[in-house]
Amino acid sequence: MSGLKVVVIGGTGLIGSKVVTNLNELGHQAVPASPQSGVDTLTGAGLADAFAGAQVVVDVSNSPSFADDDVMNFFTTSTTNLLDAERAAGVSHHVALSVVGADGVPDSGYMRAKAAQEKLIKESGMPYSIVRATQFYEFVTRIADSATDGDVVRLPHARMQPIAAEDVATAVTRAAAEPPLGGATEIAGPEAIAMDDFIRTGLAAYGDSRVVVTDPQAPYFGAVIDDRSIVPLGSYTMFETRFADWLSANVPTAAR
Ligand SMILES: NC(=O)c1ccc[n+]([C@@H]2O[C@H](COP(=O)([O-])OP(=O)(O)OC[C@H]3O[C@@H](n4cnc5c(N)ncnc54)[C@H](OP(=O)(O)O)[C@@H]3O)[C@@H](O)[C@H]2O)c1
């Protein structure tokens, strides 16, 4: 399919801005929508105007606050408002970006909110596609910050399979340009790595002197996780970009 009007909610964000570029390069008309452009999914402001004539809505927005109540309110309110406005405007495909393991880590407020988002979409009756990604390489310092006390970062040795944001954007772009899946598809990067090692390697590349201490009981955004919590357990699509190559390309000191 080409020539689709696709509204990208969160089109100014890390993933959204890449999705907008990709879709336009493929000959679609991608419209970024976010508070910056007068579209607010929490109040519904601007949605009807943005969706006029659109075939597809891609939701790659994110909650400004990761506090448990805030993130739950963000994803449930915004998804409800989006689906209602899409129905009213005759949009025929809702695409959302979620997280691998969203329904398997109930101790995490963020994961509970993503699971609630997925449930609303699945039960909405709207044709939809959900892309579930593992953690982005770009998220390395955010994970470290969430687990930092002084100069020490406490994280478990739990298995991850992180992915470059560019590859996530490629997958979301494909989902938007293709017919609705009526289900979820999972994507991950090419290498398994333990969380403590991922953060250690990332912080070293950034010249960040914090010390990563391995602690199996240290929570990841509120939840104690194990080797099966946030990696694909069934079939998934593996993307190519390796962490070391991403660091060389994106963190100047890592290339030396
Ligand atoms: N980080 C990870 O490792 C990871 C892994 C798997 C899945 N994901 C998912 O990936 C998605 C995108 O993440 P990201 O890192 O690209 O996000 P991001 O860079 O933080 O961008 C968030 C976007 O959401 C927009 N936004 C915030 N509040 C809004 C509102 N009330 N109405 C409309 N738009 C609003 C922002 O708009 P403004 O610029 O105007 O503020 C911005 O465009 C999220 O759903 C997240 O759950 C993340």
Side-chain angles (χ1 to χ4, degrees):
M1 281 190 271
S2 67
L4 298 168
K5 177 179 172 185
V6 185
V7 179
V8 182
I9 302 291
T12 51
L14 174 65
I15 302 298
S17 54
K18 298 178 196 300
V19 170
V20 167
T21 302
N22 291 349
L23 285 167
N24 285 329
E25 281 174 6
L26 290 173
H28 301 293
Q29 185 204 346
V31 181
S34 76
Q36 278 187 49
S37 60
V39 175
D40 189 334
T41 54
L42 289 177
T43 61
L47 289 178
D49 285 348
F51 290 175
Q55 288 83 36
V56 183
V57 170
V58 173
D59 181 12
V60 284
S61 63
N62 207 356
S63 174
S65 160
F66 281 17
D68 286 4
D69 291 350
D70 292 344
V71 76
M72 179 61 83
N73 179 56
F74 181 86
F75 281 113
T76 54
T77 305
S78 65
T79 301
T80 302
N81 288 339
L82 283 172
L83 293 166
D84 287 349
E86 287 168 29
R87 222 175 273 114
V91 171
S92 51
H93 188 187
H94 179 92
V95 178
L97 179 57
S98 188
V99 188
V100 168
D103 48 4
V105 193
D107 291 343
S108 157
Y110 192 88
M111 294 297 226
R112 279 199 304 277
K114 295 301 286 185
Q117 177 190 17
E118 289 193 10
K119 188 166 184 283
L120 285 168
I121 296 166
K122 287 173 186 165
E123 294 176 353
S124 69
M126 271 291 293
Y128 73 93
S129 305
I130 295 172
V131 177
R132 293 172 137 202
T134 53
Q135 288 63 43
F136 313 156
Y137 295 153
E138 286 80 352
F139 205 45
V140 73
T141 41
R142 182 95 191 237
I143 295 175
D145 293 350
S146 75
T148 296
D149 183 7
D151 285 337
V152 173
V153 183
R154 284 187 188 280
L155 285 167
H157 192 68
R159 185 183 173 96
M160 302 175 75
Q161 200 169 327
I163 185 170
E166 192 73 55
D167 289 340
V168 176
T170 298
V172 173
T173 303
R174 283 181 193 155
E178 285 168 14
L181 271 178
T185 182
E186 299 202 342
I187 60 172
E191 300 160 314
I193 182 169
M195 183 174 280
D196 54 346
D197 293 333
F198 172 57
I199 303 303
R200 219 171 258 129
T201 303
L203 292 184
Y206 281 105
D208 188 318
S209 61
R210 282 178 283 178
V211 175
V212 179
V213 172
T214 305
D215 178 351
Q217 294 306 310
Y220 169 68
F221 288 105
V224 174
I225 59 169
D226 63 26
D227 282 344
R228 296 170 58 82
S229 301
I230 55 170
V231 294
L233 299 176
S235 63
Y236 69 99
T237 302
M238 185 188 288
F239 279 81
E240 301 277 305
T241 310
R242 300 166 72 89
F243 188 40
D245 295 335
W246 180 88
L247 285 171
S248 298
N250 290 277
V251 185
T253 50
R256 283 191 222 126

